[in-house]
Amino acid sequence: GDSVTQMEGPVTLSEEAFLTINCTYTATGYPSLFWYVQYPGEGLQLLLKATKADDKGSNKGFEATYRKETTSFHLEKGSVQVSDSAVYFCALSPLSGGYNKLIFGAGTRLAVHP
Amino acid sequence: GAGVSQSPRYKVAKRGQDVALRCDPISGHVSLFWYQQALGQGPEFLTYFQNEAQLDKSGLPSDRFFAERPEGSVSTLKIQRTQQEDSAVYLCASRQGVNEQFFGPGTRLTVL
């Protein structure tokens, strides 16, 4: 069935370091792909999305490119800040579900220290 | 306007009790979703409504779980005869059209 695999955390970085969180997926057809973020004490928020192959989603300095050939949607940021500390979830919305439900990875906790 | 709200925020139940969790979606949002998030895991889809119609309930783990949205707005997720494995955060999300899902803060259910 459809699934998402993302790198285990926690990921610990110094401020201004480069961030990559790997995400790969299994799905039939062309799912939509998402990154959600959960800041401490807050609900899930959409960070960015891409709906077709080679699309690049970007927001708040984060970006991810929909790679059909490698079934990947890795999250990157060039220079992280302490305020980026959160849990990041990769997700897909499959064709099989009519692009309605979301299927999430297990989440990757990011800790950025000064 | 206001975001998605859920109540109660925390619920403690004894094993075997019935619980009801409420979701108030963003006004005007046609679609409503329920997810279950176990500790340290990503959310897992439970069920989906479009207006009052429950179009997908494939994620409900057992017949003890029941969701309704009788007037196409507020939704209630009911769990009968709760078990310890039901302990999780229950998330509600709403959506207008095919845009993003907006999530509520969740209800943390602890079954003792």
Side-chain angles (χ1 to χ4, degrees):
Chain A
D2 303 316
S3 65
V4 174
T5 302
Q6 57 182 111
M7 63 187 289
E8 290 188 22
V11 173
T12 303
L13 295 173
S14 298
E15 204 165 25
E16 299 184 1
F18 185 85
L19 168 71
T20 299
I21 301 178
N22 290 338
C23 171
T24 57
Y25 68 90
T26 301
T28 54
Y30 287 84
S32 295
L33 301 175
F34 306 82
W35 277 100
Y36 277 81
V37 59
Q38 189 168 36
Y39 297 103
E42 299 185 16
L44 277 169
Q45 302 174 26
L46 179 66
L47 181 59
L48 53 85
K49 68 177 182 182
T51 58
K52 61 183 188 294
D54 299 324
D55 266 3
K56 178 184 285 188
S58 61
N59 185 27
K60 300 181 180 180
F62 291 89
E63 59 182 34
T65 302
Y66 189 143
R67 300 290 189 198
K68 180 67 175 175
E69 63 276 13
T70 54
T71 62
S72 65
F73 193 55
H74 304 320
L75 182 68
E76 296 182 337
K77 187 175 185 182
S79 177
V80 293
Q81 305 299 312
V82 172
S83 57
D84 294 327
S85 298
V87 181
Y88 292 81
F89 293 93
C90 184
L92 67 84
S93 187
L95 169 64
S96 62
Y99 297 112
N100 290 311
K101 64 183 177 183
L102 290 168
I103 296 173
F104 288 87
T108 302
R109 182 174 299 276
L110 170 66
V112 181
H113 56 85
Chain B
V4 178
S5 60
Q6 295 185 244
S7 60
R9 292 293 312 278
Y10 303 90
K11 177 70 178 177
V12 178
K14 293 183 179 179
R15 188 162 56 93
Q17 283 185 330
D18 298 348
V19 298
L21 312 180
R22 177 186 170 107
C23 173
D24 285 80
I26 294 173
S27 178
H29 279 197
V30 169
S31 301
L32 185 144
F33 306 81
W34 284 99
Y35 294 84
Q36 179 190 59
Q37 186 175 17
L39 188 64
Q41 299 298 313
E44 291 193 4
F45 171 81
L46 294 177
T47 187
Y48 156 61
F49 289 86
Q50 186 167 313
N51 294 305
E52 69 278 5
Q54 190 174 20
L55 299 186
D56 187 346
K57 53 182 181 179
S58 62
L60 295 176
S62 77
D63 58 8
R64 296 185 296 104
F65 286 71
F66 172 76
E68 60 183 5
R69 194 186 185 200
E71 297 179 357
S73 179
V74 171
S75 177
T76 303
L77 176 67
K78 298 179 179 178
I79 309 173
Q80 297 177 325
R81 304 181 304 281
T82 52
Q83 305 295 315
Q84 284 190 323
E85 61 264 28
D86 300 335
S87 295
V89 176
Y90 291 85
L91 299 171
C92 176
S94 69
R95 185 184 72 183
Q96 180 63 299
V98 295
N99 297 318
E100 69 174 281
Q101 294 185 25
F102 289 87
F103 283 81
T107 294
R108 182 178 298 277
L109 172 65
T110 303
V111 181
L112 302 176

